[in-house]
Amino acid sequence: MKKMPNKVDVPSVKSVISKHEGKAGSLLSILEELQENDVHKHLSEEILMQVAQKAGIPLSQVYSVATFYSFFNLKPQGKHTIVVCRGTACHTRGSRALLLESAAQLGFTDFVEEDESALTTPDRKFTLRTVACFGQCALAPVVAVDGTIHSHVTPGKLLKLIQKIQKEESR
Amino acid sequence: MSRISIKIDGTPVEVAPGTTILEACLSTGIAVPTLCHLRDVATNASCGVCVVEVKGGRSLARACVTKVIPNMDVQTASPRVMAARKMAVELLLANHPTDCLSCSRNGSCELQSMAERLNVRKVRFPSTRKAVAKDETSPSIIRDNNKCILCGRCVAVCKEMQSVSAIDVAGRGLRTHIGTFMDRGLKHSTCTNCGQCTVVCPTAAIVEKDETDAVFKALQDPSKVVVVQTAPAIRSSIGEAMGMETGALVTGKMVAALRKLGFDRVFDTQFSADLTILEEGTELLERLTKGGTLPMITSCSPGWISFIETFYPKLLAHLSSCKSPQQMFGALAKSYYAEKTGIDPANMVVVSIMPCTAKKFEAQRPEMQSAWKWWKQKGQKGVAPYFDVDYALTTRELARMIKNVGIDFSRLEEQTFDDPLGQSTGAATIFGTTGGVMEAAVRTAYEVATGKPLPNIELTAVRGLEGIKHAELDVGGTRLKVAVAHTLKNARILLDDIAAGKSEYAFIEVMTCPGGCIGGGGQPILPDRKKREARAHSLYVEDRNMPVRKSHENPAIAALYKEFLEKPLSHISHELLHTHYAHRQM
């Protein structure tokens, strides 16, 4: 098996597990907290292996849970996250253009939309992803930038938001 | 217990509480079609084929999981039901490859036969699924998720029956698939290669790695001497695989078929099973008298070996150091037999017919080149390393070969094995079923330890399909407690006791598969308890019919020790017949 660099100390995984262990659905809470603790907000292979080993849960089951919930990221995430809603209401009000414009602005050339796209820039500054529905259909189209939901977004508005963050980051 | 009255298609029916609609229908002679459901294995209600209409219910009910309630009025073939079933299959077919004609499950695919049964003649829906790569990392098992219908049977056997959980459902929505950890493939998972997933898979999504082409090639090569060995369990399953009744005992026809296929020598793994008893029995007596690690656990079943190596590496000292009969045979064929007959071992191809997919993995373990090492030590130089066993074919692959060349199996005249590696005893025959190795060991150990004949040769306490069986034996005044487990989940229970220091046993037999090798992962597909019972019964019949029923009375084994090995656990037998184990912890 490939050895991965040990980014997080073993005790912290252990303590997170012991905090939640025994409660119903503890694996979810364990994974949630570990992802939150991670610099790149993701669950590395090494972390998942430690969880399986220390919590006595089969590796395949840990993987099953981590891949079922869209909340969990198995790839390192960018510092800033842009989530474009691709639900029906947002779609009819132009969310596809929002997605394509942001992809272009962030430098993802040859971007092709797949279901649940998630892309991170090589400098790990931005992650662009889609979501099936935020449940904010009355405000369509909506885009979440670093957790803040922006409503009635136009490509122009969105580009300005992204450019602003890009400018701050390049300082 | 009061019974529940319901109506099925207008006919009043009384059933026990807790009965499912599916079972209630079966009891009145209505076979509701099912696809994902497999009795005693998995009921995930994922396919939607078994739907029925329940009066007063808004949606159709899945018969496999819905329990009957009083006065239920069930329609099993209403227009709505028929349309829904057909659509469920059409939707599955829309996302299924259409290479049925060249598929390895052509003719034995449950999806294919369901489409036929429900008279599906066109698929109205376009495919939405993208082609994905096959998992071909394992030496035993190939997974093709393109053909998976997500019934969940493989996950159930891996988790519930074997407590291995190498695979699980991964992803979500359209991306839902059966996967290993990080989708790295079976080889890099906790998979023990037991192959139980291959016997329950309804389609060709999980199949054994087929090596029949390579064996045909060897058979057609005039420069090769191709030697075949057959595991005990094959004689009560290859007939079934060739269309005879379940459990048909076909030892003589099997030998005849192998000769017709062109094998130069037709030998029997039972020969080395007898040898295993002598080596392992002696090892046990040594451990008992010299204070070795106890309980000692059998080592014939390669899925079990991978399991303990992966999950309990600290307990490896409990394993007998004996190789499995397959590997003992290969090592002897290419050393003892090659020397005796003047055949160049590098030109010999050893093929084994096994009820098992893990045997493919075992044959390729790097340490299984004992004959080559033995010749090298004798001064042979410049020969590239070769394995003791070249190919391990499953029962299903042998059936494929027999059909392929057009042998009318049921009409074959019975023939007998070649000498000397074809001679065996009834004790070796019962190796193929759970409890058999224990019973065979007792038949010999008792007589070797006491010098007296065993009062009752049949050890019924360890027979049958109960998960864990126990017996207490009186061996010349010493009382020995023994246990027998089949399936890895049951083995785990005994191992946990050992790890906790609570095990009271001296000797434990473990077989990976339900019922032992007769329920192996290489056996005819779609297992159930009745099939296992029939196959096991045939092995016990064969045992009774054998002229010799104790391993130490096999004359060919006596000759082998006299001419070659000297005595059990001798230096040479350690070189050729014993092995060591590896930590495989994930």
Side-chain angles (χ1 to χ4, degrees):
Chain A
M1 196 162 295
K2 208 169 68 190
K3 280 267 177 272
M4 302 280 289
N6 208 356
K7 280 183 218 143
V8 175
D9 355 329
V10 179
S12 87
V13 175
K14 220 175 176 176
S15 65
V16 170
I17 289 170
S18 55
K19 192 167 134 194
H20 299 285
E21 226 174 8
K23 293 173 205 155
S26 63
L27 181 56
L28 278 179
S29 320
I30 293 166
L31 294 178
E32 189 183 342
E33 189 165 337
L34 289 171
Q35 177 168 296
E36 203 46 48
N37 294 348
D38 181 64
V39 194
H40 300 296
K41 304 292 176 215
H42 86 302
L43 296 164
S44 67
E45 185 176 329
E46 170 69 15
I47 287 284
L48 293 177
M49 285 173 69
Q50 285 188 32
V51 169
Q53 202 195 353
K54 293 182 205 308
I57 300 167
L59 279 168
S60 62
Q61 196 181 326
V62 173
Y63 184 61
S64 176
V65 169
T67 54
F68 181 81
Y69 293 96
S70 62
F71 176 81
F72 295 126
N73 308 313
L74 298 195
K75 287 182 190 155
Q77 298 297 293
K79 192 173 160 195
H80 304 280
T81 311
I82 294 152
V83 188
V84 180
C85 181
R86 296 288 288 125
T88 313
C90 291
H91 176 72
T92 56
R93 307 197 73 174
S95 72
R96 184 166 163 77
L98 297 176
L99 180 63
L100 297 179
E101 290 286 341
S102 342
Q105 178 65 28
L106 294 172
F108 298 119
T109 47
D110 311 322
F111 171 78
V112 181
E113 185 183 7
E114 286 176 35
D115 80 304
E116 300 181 16
S117 302
L119 292 165
T120 300
T121 53
D123 61 3
R124 287 194 185 165
K125 297 283 187 207
F126 288 91
T127 292
L128 174 65
R129 55 167 65 236
T130 60
V131 70
C133 184
F134 272 125
Q136 303 289 337
C137 309
L139 309 174
V142 295
V143 174
V145 178
D146 290 336
T148 309
I149 293 188
H150 299 261
S151 52
H152 304 305
V153 183
T154 61
K157 264 193 193 173
L158 184 56
L159 284 187
K160 261 185 205 156
L161 277 168
I162 295 173
Q163 281 161 352
K164 198 179 147 209
I165 303 172
Q166 280 175 328
K167 226 179 242 170
E168 282 165 13
E169 283 296 331
S170 62
R171 247 184 244 149
Chain B
M1 196 161 53
S2 64
R3 293 173 74 80
I4 291 179
S5 299
I6 59 166
K7 260 192 203 165
I8 296 176
D9 295 335
T11 311
V13 182
E14 288 211 334
V15 292
T19 307
T20 61
I21 295 177
L22 182 67
E23 291 160 347
C25 289
L26 269 180
S27 73
T28 68
I30 296 166
V32 172
T34 59
L35 191 49
C36 65
H37 167 81
L38 185 61
R39 205 171 70 130
D40 300 332
V41 173
T43 302
N44 292 313
S46 63
C47 73
V49 170
C50 71
V51 288
V52 292
E53 198 165 355
V54 176
K55 203 175 170 185
R58 266 194 308 173
S59 49
L60 298 176
R62 297 191 182 207
C64 66
V65 289
T66 311
K67 301 252 165 84
V68 293
I69 52 170
N71 305 318
M72 205 176 220
D73 190 348
V74 179
Q75 289 291 329
T76 68
S78 68
R80 190 177 165 206
V81 164
M82 303 291 276
R85 282 182 189 158
K86 209 170 194 171
M87 185 179 323
V89 173
E90 277 182 274
L91 286 167
L92 286 170
L93 291 178
N95 274 337
H96 200 85
T98 51
D99 62 343
C100 296
L101 289 179
S102 54
C103 176
S104 67
R105 289 289 296 270
N106 185 10
S108 67
C109 171
E110 290 178 60
L111 179 60
Q112 186 185 48
S113 58
M114 187 55 70
E116 157 60 17
R117 184 175 159 185
L118 297 184
N119 202 24
V120 175
R121 292 294 172 250
K122 60 169 187 264
V123 176
R124 289 169 290 170
F125 313 107
S127 177
T128 51
R129 200 153 162 180
K130 275 192 211 159
V132 293
K134 287 187 191 179
D135 173 5
E136 296 181 290
T137 56
S138 159
S140 299
I141 296 163
I142 312 269
R143 293 190 316 122
D144 182 358
N145 271 337
N146 296 301
K147 294 189 171 165
C148 176
I149 61 167
L150 296 172
C151 69
R153 292 179 187 176
C154 54
V155 173
V157 288
C158 197
K159 193 183 280 185
E160 316 295 337
M161 178 193 282
Q162 302 293 42
S163 73
V164 165
S165 290
I167 47 175
D168 207 332
V169 182
R172 149 186 87 251
L174 282 177
R175 296 175 183 206
T176 308
H177 64 280
I178 307 299
T180 57
F181 179 63
M182 304 307 285
D183 287 306
R184 281 191 304 213
L186 284 177
K187 189 187 177 181
H188 312 290
S189 74
T190 55
C191 176
T192 65
N193 306 297
C194 79
Q196 285 301 314
C197 51
T198 67
V199 283
V200 298
C201 181
T203 68
I206 313 187
V207 296
E208 68 284 348
K209 185 169 180 185
D210 187 298
E211 295 177 291
T212 56
D213 280 350
V215 173
F216 270 125
K217 207 173 155 201
L219 288 170
Q220 287 151 0
D221 184 343
S223 71
K224 301 284 184 199
V225 178
V226 189
V227 168
V228 69
Q229 54 164 327
T230 58
I234 310 300
R235 61 212 71 202
S236 73
S237 64
I238 186 67
E240 179 185 333
M242 294 308 299
M244 297 169 74
E245 78 275 10
T246 305
L249 187 60
V250 292
T251 318
K253 290 184 192 296
M254 172 183 76
V255 173
L258 291 166
R259 279 215 182 92
K260 268 203 170 314
L261 279 170
F263 287 101
D264 297 303
R265 305 284 188 284
V266 181
F267 289 140
D268 203 350
T269 315
Q270 289 192 180
F271 169 84
S272 45
D274 279 331
L275 183 61
T276 302
I277 289 300
L278 288 164
E279 292 289 327
E280 201 166 86
T282 311
E283 185 185 359
L284 177 63
L285 293 175
E286 258 198 15
R287 288 197 192 201
L288 285 166
T289 51
K290 291 184 184 163
T293 305
L294 291 174
M296 187 177 90
I297 317 179
T298 58
S299 54
C300 309
S301 184
W304 150 243
I305 298 300
S306 293
F307 179 81
I308 187 170
E309 287 179 328
T310 304
F311 295 98
Y312 295 87
K314 283 182 186 148
L315 300 183
L316 287 175
H318 289 273
L319 282 179
S320 161
S321 66
C322 286
K323 285 181 185 170
S324 73
Q326 159 173 283
Q327 295 305 137
M328 284 198 185
F329 180 95
L332 285 176
K334 292 190 180 178
S335 60
Y336 167 68
Y337 184 72
E339 188 179 51
K340 199 177 157 91
T341 53
I343 299 169
D344 176 1
N347 255 340
M348 189 190 278
V349 177
V350 173
V351 177
S352 40
I353 311 298
M354 296 280 141
C356 185
T357 45
K359 289 284 172 193
K360 291 177 185 286
F361 167 81
E362 182 184 56
Q364 291 181 19
R365 288 178 69 117
E367 63 272 24
M368 296 300 179
Q369 302 182 340
S370 309
W372 175 77
K373 275 182 211 143
W374 181 79
W375 282 102
K376 202 173 148 207
Q377 276 169 18
K378 279 176 70 102
Q380 201 179 58
K381 278 183 197 136
V383 180
Y386 45 79
F387 285 106
D388 297 331
V389 173
D390 297 275
Y391 303 104
L393 302 183
T394 59
T395 316
R396 300 191 289 269
E397 287 167 275
L398 175 60
R400 225 168 273 152
M401 288 182 76
I402 296 172
K403 282 177 194 160
N404 207 191
V405 298
I407 296 170
D408 189 347
F409 188 83
S410 64
R411 284 175 56 191
L412 286 172
E413 293 272 347
E414 298 195 357
Q415 294 184 7
T416 53
F417 287 106
D418 289 314
D419 283 334
L421 306 188
Q423 283 191 46
S424 71
T425 71
T429 303
I430 58 175
F431 258 62
T433 177
T434 171
V437 175
M438 181 60 71
E439 186 171 336
V442 170
R443 287 182 192 177
T444 288
Y446 184 91
E447 301 202 353
V448 169
T450 64
K452 282 184 253 169
L454 188 63
N456 185 3
I457 192 168
E458 295 188 354
L459 187 63
T460 48
V462 296
R463 293 188 177 189
L465 293 184
E466 201 178 319
I468 299 177
K469 293 163 282 185
H470 320 257
E472 199 167 339
L473 311 164
D474 184 352
V475 185
T478 317
R479 297 200 73 79
L480 279 187
K481 282 188 174 175
V482 300
V484 171
H486 57 125
T487 76
L488 296 172
K489 190 181 193 173
N490 289 320
R492 188 184 276 277
I493 295 170
L494 296 179
L495 284 182
D496 284 337
D497 279 350
I498 295 173
K502 291 192 299 190
S503 185
E504 48 181 6
Y505 303 112
F507 187 38
I508 294 173
E509 174 208 290
V510 173
M511 293 192 192
T512 307
C513 292
C517 313
I518 47 113
Q523 292 280 52
I525 52 162
L526 288 187
D528 67 35
R529 198 182 165 96
K530 281 205 178 116
K531 284 188 192 172
R532 293 196 277 264
E533 277 166 355
R535 293 176 195 155
H537 174 76
S538 291
L539 294 188
Y540 286 120
V541 170
E542 177 95 325
D543 167 34
R544 260 184 218 166
N545 292 339
M546 297 282 272
V548 184
R549 298 180 65 191
K550 297 166 190 167
S551 298
H552 58 288
E553 292 175 358
N554 180 341
I557 296 289
L560 171 68
Y561 278 114
K562 199 168 160 216
E563 292 169 21
F564 190 66
L565 293 174
E566 297 157 33
K567 60 180 182 13
L569 308 185
S570 67
H571 178 70
I572 183 165
S573 77
H574 266 293
E575 280 182 347
L576 291 170
L577 311 179
H578 291 260
T579 188
H580 54 273
Y581 305 104
H583 289 229
R584 291 181 198 280
Q585 205 156 24
M586 289 288 134

